Amino acid sequence: KRNVKKITIFYLKSYGDKWDGSLAKFTITNGTKDDHDGTILSQQELGGYHNVTYSLTVSDVFALSDTVEKGGALNMKVEVTGGKTFKIMGMALCMY
C-alpha cells in the first residue's frame, strides 16, 4: 500500500456530432465511500471533443491538494456537463 498524491485520467478525444461539446467534471474528495461531504482534493473539467478526423486517447493529471494516506479512502464523482458522450479509458493512482 502507498500514499496517493496524483490521479491520472485517460480519456478519449474524438470528433463529429456524437462528441461535439463533450465535457465531464471530475471531483475528487477524501473520506469513506458513504461520506459525500469530504474535503475536495481536486476538481477539473475535461473536454472530449477535438476538430480532427481521428480519435485519440489522452491523459490529464489531477494533483491532489492533500495526500491520501495508505489505507485511506477517496471518492471520485464524474458528471457529464456537456455534449452527449464522454469516454473514460482508464485511471492511475500515483504516489509521486
Side-chain angles (χ1 to χ4, degrees):
K1 294 182 180 181
R2 307 252 183 191
N3 297 339
V4 176
K5 296 181 181 179
K6 294 181 181 178
I7 297 176
T8 303
I9 301 295
F10 301 90
Y11 61 101
L12 192 69
K13 281 193 176 243
S14 198
Y15 60 97
D17 291 340
K18 180 178 178 180
W19 295 92
D20 191 27
S22 174
L23 290 171
K25 180 179 176 183
F26 291 74
T27 304
I28 301 166
T29 59
N30 62 3
T32 65
K33 67 180 180 179
D34 298 322
D35 180 11
H36 300 289
D37 296 320
T39 302
I40 293 176
L41 302 176
S42 187
Q43 190 172 60
Q44 285 189 71
E45 194 166 54
L46 304 178
Y49 176 79
H50 63 180
N51 196 21
V52 291
T53 56
Y54 60 86
S55 297
L56 177 68
T57 300
V58 296
S59 64
D60 264 291
V61 177
F62 291 69
L64 305 182
S65 61
D66 195 14
T67 300
V68 176
E69 300 295 328
K70 65 181 179 179
L74 58 83
N75 298 305
M76 179 182 293
K77 179 180 179 180
V78 182
E79 300 172 81
V80 176
T81 56
K84 302 174 189 171
T85 304
F86 188 90
K87 186 171 185 178
I88 299 169
M89 303 297 285
M91 176 174 62
L93 305 176
C94 304
M95 61 183 244
Y96 301 108

